[in-house]
């Protein structure tokens, strides 16, 4: 019979008994012949000779317990694990609370044993140091880089760098504001006394267990941030911009699933979708060639060159149609000619066309809705409104939906409410408001 301890001190960390499905408490039985997953039984099911599938009652077995010394006599393995967990929960140096959580050792015993075996032990300290170096090398890609001889960056509170790093402080390897930052408030008034009733004591222990689960969630989130390199926001954004627009949208939508996958698996998932988008684009291009009757890559090059020339000619004709609407205005013609010259020279035109009204006041010409998204969703009167107000169809549809929703909610709408709802020029808001009332879409309050 071997005396082993495969799990922590918390019974909820152990798998349940295969017989009665209850949480295992030491000592318990492990079958030495069933595998590869461990077949564990509590003492009650073992004494009853419980059998399940391939497991039989005459199999060899091991007694799993941690009631044996490890580092020195008088300290069992279970007490060693309880001491480490207490130091982790209460903090190094808080030996009074550590002893209170241990309950089997005094304050001086806990301090002397921990200092002797975990701090001043050369063999154990070197092992911990090598383990820590291995762990640090694993997270080196996601950490804020700085030389060991230099001080780590210390961004001031609420600075641009501090906001970009989400309040992360490299000098402390911690965040200025933790996740669930007020989790400790539920424990500040809890005090365990000897005359507590069983129900009250169980309630206090439940609150402590909830607090431990919140701490685990805090550590889990830190691990996700560290593993995926989310602290260095600018580097993360630069990597994201390397993908095409479709993959960037997917990257943003799938970011929430990074917590359930590792960083390498998540990056492979995004890269595979980026490859899929590239393949789909190439397939559509080849289908376009086949539809046009092209069967060789040499013909495809000629087709692409002719296609670009045709698109340039179509854009020029569109601009010419625009200027024909205002051919009576000499200034508009001059601006159009300058714009055309800029296009022919390969320069992006920045001149906007304006007209002069009969009163001498400059006013912009009607907006050309040709090719603008959302134009097909407008009727003729709405198109005329967008042209006069110079409002793109997508924005008009958004403002219209907002005003309709607010009117239904309020049972009516006033002009002041419309101006507060859509933050654009007040004259444009009035025209949209009057138009919707005239068409019967909204009513005055």
């Amino acid at each position: 019979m071997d005396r082993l301890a495969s799990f922590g001190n918390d019974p909820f960390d152990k798998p349940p008994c295969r017989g009665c499905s209850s949480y295992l408490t030491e000592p318990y039985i492990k079958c030495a012949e069933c595998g590869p997953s461990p077949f564990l039984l509590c003492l009650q099911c073992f004494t009853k000779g419980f059998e399940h599938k391939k497991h039989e009652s005459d199999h060899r077995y091991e007694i799993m317990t941690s009631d044996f010394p490890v580092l020195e006599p008088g300290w069992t393995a279970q007490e060693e694990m309880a001491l480490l967990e207490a130091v982790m929960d209460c903090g190094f140096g808080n030996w009074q609370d550590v002893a209170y959580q241990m309950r089997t050792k005094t304050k001086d015993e806990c301090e002397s044993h921990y200092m002797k075996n975990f701090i001043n032990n050369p063999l154990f300290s070197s092992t911990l140091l090598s383990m820590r170096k291995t762990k640090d090398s694993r997270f080196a890609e996601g950490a804020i880089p700085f030389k060991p001889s230099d001080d780590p960056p210390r961004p001031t509170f609420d600075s641009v760098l501090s906001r970009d790093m989400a309040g992360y402080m490299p000098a402390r390897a911690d965040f200025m504001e933790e996740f669930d930052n007020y989790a400790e408030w539920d424990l500040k008034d809890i005090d365990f006394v000897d005359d507590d009733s069983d129900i009250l004591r169980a309630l206090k222990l439940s609150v402590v267990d909830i607090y431990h689960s919140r701490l685990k969630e805090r550590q889990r989130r830190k691990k996700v941030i560290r593993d995926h390199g989310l602290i260095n926001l600018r580097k993360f954004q630069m990597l994201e911009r390397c993908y095409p627009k479709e993959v960037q949208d997917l990257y943003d939508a799938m970011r929430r699933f990074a917590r359930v996958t590792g960083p390498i698996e998540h990056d492979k998932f995004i890269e595979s979708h980026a490859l899929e988008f590239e393949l789909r684009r190439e397939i559509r291009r080849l289908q376009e060639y086949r539809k046009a009757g092209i069967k060789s890559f040499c013909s495809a090059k000629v087709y692409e060159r002719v296609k670009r020339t045709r698109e340039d000619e179509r854009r020029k004709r569109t601009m010419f149609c625009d200027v024909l609407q205002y051919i009576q205005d000499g200034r508009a013609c001059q601006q159009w000619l300058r714009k055309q010259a800029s296009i022919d020279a390969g320069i992006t035109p920045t001149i906007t066309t304006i007209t002069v009204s009969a009163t001498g006041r400059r006013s912009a010409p009607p907006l050309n809705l040709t090719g603008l998204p959302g134009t097909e969703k407008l009727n003729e009167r709405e198109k005329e409104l967008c042209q006069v107000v110079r409002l793109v169809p997508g924005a008009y549809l958004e403002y219209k939906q907002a005003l309709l929703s607010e009117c239904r909610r309020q049972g009516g709408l006033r002009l002041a409410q419309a101006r507060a709802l859509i933050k654009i020029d007040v004259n444009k808001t009035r025209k949209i408001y009057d138009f919707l009332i005239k068409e019967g879409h909204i009513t005055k309050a």
Side-chain angles (χ1 to χ4, degrees), residues 87-283:
V87 173
M88 184 181 299
D89 294 339
C90 303
F92 177 78
N94 194 5
W95 302 114
Q96 184 65 41
D97 293 342
V98 170
Y100 184 80
Q101 185 169 329
M102 283 281 297
R103 298 186 180 280
T104 58
K105 300 294 181 181
T106 63
K107 168 187 173 182
D108 296 334
E109 289 175 339
C110 294
E111 181 179 3
S112 61
H113 180 78
Y114 191 88
M115 297 298 295
K116 175 183 176 182
N117 294 281
F118 296 100
I119 301 298
N120 300 325
N121 189 339
L123 176 63
F124 198 70
S125 60
S126 62
T127 305
L128 286 179
L129 182 61
S130 62
M131 291 173 61
R132 182 172 184 179
K133 288 181 178 179
T134 304
K135 183 177 181 181
D136 292 342
S137 64
R138 224 174 32 240
F139 297 139
E141 290 296 328
I144 302 298
F146 62 91
K147 297 180 180 179
S149 59
D150 299 335
D151 287 336
R154 291 177 170 84
T156 58
F157 175 71
D158 204 27
S159 62
V160 176
L161 180 59
S162 177
R163 290 194 298 270
D164 289 345
M165 297 167 60
Y168 182 74
M169 297 175 290
R172 292 177 50 187
D174 210 341
F175 288 88
M176 187 172 299
E177 184 173 346
E178 298 281 3
F179 168 76
D180 199 359
N181 199 41
Y182 299 99
E184 289 77 11
W185 281 27
D186 296 335
L187 296 178
K188 62 186 181 66
D189 296 328
I190 293 181
D191 187 16
F192 288 89
V193 295
D194 296 335
D195 57 348
D196 283 343
S197 63
D198 295 339
I199 296 178
L200 182 58
R201 187 174 187 83
L203 179 61
K204 292 180 179 180
L205 291 175
S206 300
V207 174
V208 175
D209 291 338
I210 294 174
Y211 172 67
H212 284 171
S213 65
R214 295 165 78 176
L215 289 182
K216 290 179 180 179
E217 175 64 17
R218 183 184 293 175
Q219 295 299 325
R220 187 189 69 83
R221 289 174 178 262
K222 287 183 181 179
K223 185 176 184 300
V224 170
I225 293 175
R226 186 182 298 111
D227 290 351
H228 291 267
L230 302 181
I231 295 174
N232 197 334
L233 181 61
R234 294 180 181 176
K235 178 182 177 181
F236 182 76
Q237 291 175 343
M238 290 177 61
L239 292 175
E240 187 177 355
R241 294 194 190 101
C242 296
Y243 298 111
K245 181 63 170 62
E246 299 86 353
V247 183
Q248 290 182 15
D249 296 338
L250 176 69
Y251 202 98
D252 185 66
M254 300 303 296
R255 189 178 302 167
R256 67 196 68 181
F257 296 103
R259 67 186 69 180
V260 297
T261 60
I264 298 179
E265 291 79 5
H266 186 71
D267 290 342
K268 286 182 178 179
F269 175 77
I270 300 298
E271 288 289 344
S272 62
H273 278 76
L275 178 60
E276 178 186 356
F277 279 113
E278 291 293 336
L279 292 176
R280 287 179 181 272
R281 185 184 297 111
E282 186 68 17
I283 290 173

Side-chain angles (χ1 to χ4, degrees), residues 3-21:
R3 296 186 297 175
L4 302 171
S6 302
F7 305 101
N9 196 30
D10 190 356
F12 297 100
D13 291 339
K14 304 181 180 68
C17 171
R18 289 293 186 91
C20 59
S21 299

